Amino acid sequence: IFDADGDDEMSCVSCVVPGVTATTGMETADIIKKAVEISKPEVVIVIDSLAARNIERVSTTIQITDTGIAPGGGMGNTRTGVNEKTVGTKVIAIGVPTVIDATTIIRDALADNMDSAEKVESYIENYDRQMIVTSTDIDTIIKDFSDVIANGINKTLHPGIYLQ
């Protein structure tokens, strides 16, 4: 699929771990854009955790898209998007919903069990603390999903080494 400088078994791959803006002080999109300018890849693969909108999706799915990703978007802290327009090359985004807003859980749980939707909304507005919830075994979940994603990327980019 990708040019590997004449090697049919291995693609030329680089990796950057840009961190989060709160730690680095730099926008993730800016770091990736500069790496793209230097290395000139055919495609950028970005991997991130996502905020689910439904409890049933937390830690159960892998989302793949060719439209990029908006870091922090699911938490209401939208940063510069990582997409073809912002970084200058094709972007494949892979995300796993690993967190959910507590408000979403409350709304879903009460939606069918309350006589008045207005009471639920009033309660949420008065006591909204922007709490984010994740599974207690998140470390294991992240390890398992990262293995699946890494194996998928390796088999896609290095098909020759998996022929046996």
Side-chain angles (χ1 to χ4, degrees):
I1 295 174
F2 302 100
D3 182 15
D5 298 324
D7 188 337
D8 292 336
E9 295 181 355
M10 299 287 288
S11 293
C12 182
V13 178
S14 299
C15 178
V16 174
V17 182
V20 295
T21 304
T23 302
T24 65
M26 296 179 282
E27 288 284 345
T28 302
D30 292 338
I31 296 169
I32 295 171
K33 181 178 182 179
K34 187 52 74 175
V36 165
E37 289 173 9
I38 293 167
S39 63
K40 302 189 183 344
E42 294 177 42
V43 66
V44 169
I45 300 171
V46 293
I47 304 168
D48 202 358
S49 61
L50 305 173
R53 292 187 188 198
N54 180 311
I55 192 76
E56 293 174 5
R57 299 235 190 258
V58 175
S59 303
T60 61
T61 59
I62 297 174
Q63 175 181 312
I64 303 172
T65 179
D66 64 355
T67 57
I69 199 162
M75 309 312 317
N77 183 26
T78 304
R79 312 304 302 179
T80 302
V82 179
N83 53 55
E84 188 169 0
K85 182 178 179 183
T86 60
V87 301
T89 194
K90 295 176 188 169
V91 174
I92 303 294
I94 302 172
V96 176
T98 56
V99 298
I100 189 167
D101 186 288
T103 304
T104 302
I105 296 172
I106 293 168
R107 279 192 181 107
D108 289 348
L110 297 178
D112 296 329
N113 300 311
M114 289 290 289
D115 296 335
S116 170
E118 291 83 19
K119 287 181 183 177
V120 173
E121 288 303 318
S122 175
Y123 177 86
I124 289 170
E125 286 177 22
N126 290 330
Y127 297 102
D128 185 19
R129 300 289 184 258
Q130 299 247 337
M131 292 195 300
I132 306 305
V133 180
T134 193
S135 175
T136 57
D137 60 342
I138 192 64
D139 293 340
T140 302
I141 290 168
I142 295 297
K143 172 70 173 107
D144 292 345
F145 273 106
S146 63
D147 287 345
V148 169
I149 292 168
N151 285 329
I153 291 170
N154 282 330
K155 287 180 179 183
T156 301
L157 298 180
H158 314 301
I161 65 173
Y162 290 94
L163 298 175
Q164 293 182 14

